[in-house]
């Protein structure tokens, strides 16, 4: 497809050995401090970590992904503004080598996802199917020598539909299975589950969100160490920002902070999250050095979106980096992705 030529060399299909293409992680240890909202008192009213959430403005108009299902997460790999989005393959889709289409629940538990590349104006520039990988709460995009590599959860647990390890490249139009010998799965902590990686867009670090039992944790690694199988993390923290009853919708790493997105879609007027409330989407920050909360702010932008489910958070690199929040919106016949960005 148009716009993908620079991404798709065979080098992007190399994972282990001499390839820098990708891989990521199955989880890491705990630590850090528990939080009770202590980071809510901020020097600037809308600040969370380094970004002012109150400056949020539209970056990507409501845009269709490759399939009709909604987005799960977003990622930016460069300042050019191309955004990548993960979605679960919806019901009734039959991939080229399949005898029949699968139902929606079967696809979800099988961990079958699609990644779509979109131009800054929202046009599809490429896509790829990932079979047996996971749910896609977060992921990372790495640009190198004109190629694109993805850091994505893999090795799905078919009881839950979530991944336990990570590692896959981007190749336009491909259908890639998690069991492929081209995939190198990294599992630094096999006892963890619901594993979701993402990349620091400027610092050559990988953030691994994971759960140990019923508790959410993060670990930060140097990319080079991780790819070499040296899994001692730079930082390991217990999530001090997630509150009881909140729905975790993704994470990002930039500088000294983890940025965490929570929230649910609108309900009807009688529900617990009606449109009149402006939604329950929050961005929180956690200091990776101490594990302490470093701010929390409700995202009030675009309250009139239909459905308005928060789906993914990422940092777009550049001279002025932006913290970006994705929303799934309803349109006739399909869900679309729209992205709003916050200034430093």
């Amino acid at each position: 497809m148009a716009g993908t030529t620079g991404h798709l060399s065979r080098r992007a299909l190399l994972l282990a050995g001499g390839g820098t293409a990708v891989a990521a992680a199955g989880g890491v240890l705990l630590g850090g401090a528990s939080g009770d909202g202590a980071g809510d008192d901020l020097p600037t009213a809308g600040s969370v970590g380094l970004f002012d959430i109150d400056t949020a403005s539209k970056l990507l108009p409501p845009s269709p992904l490759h399939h009709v299902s909604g987005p799960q997460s977003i990622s930016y790999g460069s300042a050019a503004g191309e955004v990548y989005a993960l979605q679960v393959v919806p019901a009734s889709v039959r991939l080229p080598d399949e005898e029949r289409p699968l139902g929606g629940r079967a696809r979800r538990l099988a961990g079958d996802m699609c990644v779509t590349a979109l131009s800054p104006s929202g046009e599809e520039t490429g896509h790829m199917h990932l079979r047996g990988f996971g749910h896609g709460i977060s992921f990372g995009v790495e640009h190198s020598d004109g190629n694109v590599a993805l850091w994505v959860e893999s090795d799905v647990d078919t009881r839950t539909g979530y991944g336990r390890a990570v590692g896959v490249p981007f190749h336009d139009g491909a259908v890639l299975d998690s069991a492929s010998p081209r995939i190198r799965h990294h599992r630094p902590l096999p006892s963890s589950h619901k594993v979701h990686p993402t990349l620091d867009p400027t610092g050559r670090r990988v953030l691994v969100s994971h759960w140990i039992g019923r508790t959410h944790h993060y670990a930060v690694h140097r990319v080079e160490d991780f790819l070499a199988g040296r899994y001692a993390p730079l930082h390991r923290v217990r999530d001090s920002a997630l509150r009881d009853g909140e729905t975790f919708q993704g994470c990002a790493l930039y500088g000294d902070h983890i940025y965490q997105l929570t929230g649910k879609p609108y309900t009807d007027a009688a529900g617990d999250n009606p449109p009149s409330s402006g939604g329950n989407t929050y961005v929180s920050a956690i200091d990776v050095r101490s594990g302490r909360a470093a701010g929390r702010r409700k995202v009030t932008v675009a309250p009139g979106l239909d459905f308005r489910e928060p789906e993914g958070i990422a940092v777009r690199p550049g001279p002025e980096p932006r913290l970006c929040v994705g929303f799934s919106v309803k349109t006739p016949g399909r869900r679309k992705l729209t992205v709003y960005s916050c200034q430093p």
Side-chain angles (χ1 to χ4, degrees):
M1 292 187 172
T4 60
T5 305
H7 301 268
L8 307 176
S9 78
R10 292 182 67 253
R11 180 175 177 274
L13 288 175
L14 300 175
L15 278 180
T20 61
V22 288
V28 196
L29 274 175
L30 59 161
S34 60
D36 56 3
D40 289 356
D41 296 328
L42 303 169
T44 303
S47 293
V48 176
L50 299 178
F51 296 95
D52 186 349
I53 305 305
D54 291 349
T55 65
S57 60
K58 187 187 294 183
L59 182 65
L60 181 79
S63 303
L65 303 182
H66 188 72
H67 293 298
V68 299
S69 53
Q72 293 296 325
S73 55
I74 60 173
S75 186
Y76 289 86
S78 72
E82 187 173 48
V83 60
Y84 291 76
L86 277 178
Q87 63 185 149
V88 175
V89 177
S92 302
V93 169
R94 183 173 69 87
L95 298 179
D97 60 347
E98 295 175 343
E99 294 183 358
R100 60 184 182 276
L102 299 180
R105 184 174 185 274
R107 283 290 189 199
R108 181 179 63 80
L109 291 177
D112 295 347
M113 300 188 292
C114 179
V115 57
T116 304
L118 298 173
S119 72
S121 61
E123 298 176 352
E124 181 177 331
T125 61
H127 75 280
M128 181 180 182
H129 288 96
L130 309 173
R131 221 162 25 193
F133 282 82
H135 198 68
I137 299 297
S138 66
F139 73 112
V141 175
E142 182 180 12
H143 284 252
S144 177
D145 299 329
N147 300 312
V148 171
L150 307 177
W151 291 63
V152 189
E153 68 187 275
S154 63
D155 185 30
V156 68
D157 182 343
T158 56
R159 297 169 298 179
T160 66
Y162 288 86
R164 296 171 288 194
V166 187
V168 66
F170 180 78
H171 186 69
D172 186 28
V175 177
L176 188 62
D177 290 287
S178 186
S180 167
R182 292 177 294 184
I183 305 300
R184 180 184 175 191
H185 302 289
H186 290 260
R187 300 180 182 88
L189 190 63
S191 61
S192 64
H193 60 103
K194 291 187 178 179
V195 173
H196 308 292
T198 188
L199 291 176
D200 177 350
T202 61
R204 297 293 296 165
R205 297 176 300 168
V206 55
L207 172 70
V208 182
S209 162
H210 60 285
W211 293 75
I212 299 175
R214 299 173 62 88
T215 307
H216 188 218
H217 303 263
Y218 290 107
V220 179
H221 301 258
R222 290 187 182 91
V223 166
E224 289 76 12
D225 288 344
F226 201 93
L227 290 175
R230 299 187 294 269
Y231 298 133
L234 296 168
H235 307 284
R236 50 191 182 186
V237 299
R238 179 173 174 169
D239 185 351
S240 59
L242 190 65
R243 298 185 177 183
D244 289 345
E246 285 191 323
T247 300
F248 177 67
Q249 297 282 16
C251 56
L253 175 65
Y254 185 76
D256 291 326
H257 296 100
I258 297 165
Y259 295 91
Q260 180 169 285
L261 181 69
T262 58
K264 296 180 180 179
Y266 282 146
T267 61
D268 59 22
D272 60 0
N273 188 36
S276 60
S277 70
N280 59 7
T281 298
Y282 284 86
V283 171
S284 303
I286 301 168
D287 191 312
V288 297
R289 300 162 298 182
S290 65
R292 295 191 179 93
R296 174 181 169 91
R297 192 72 171 175
K298 185 175 181 177
V299 182
T300 59
V301 70
L305 291 176
D306 192 4
F307 193 68
R308 197 181 184 270
E309 182 175 13
E311 293 282 14
I313 186 168
V315 174
R316 191 186 78 172
E320 187 179 70
R322 297 294 185 98
L323 183 67
C324 302
V325 174
F327 287 99
S328 177
V329 297
K330 280 186 176 180
T331 63
R334 70 184 307 139
R335 300 274 177 85
K336 293 184 178 180
L337 168 69
T338 186
V339 177
Y340 288 78
S341 69
C342 307
Q343 299 175 3

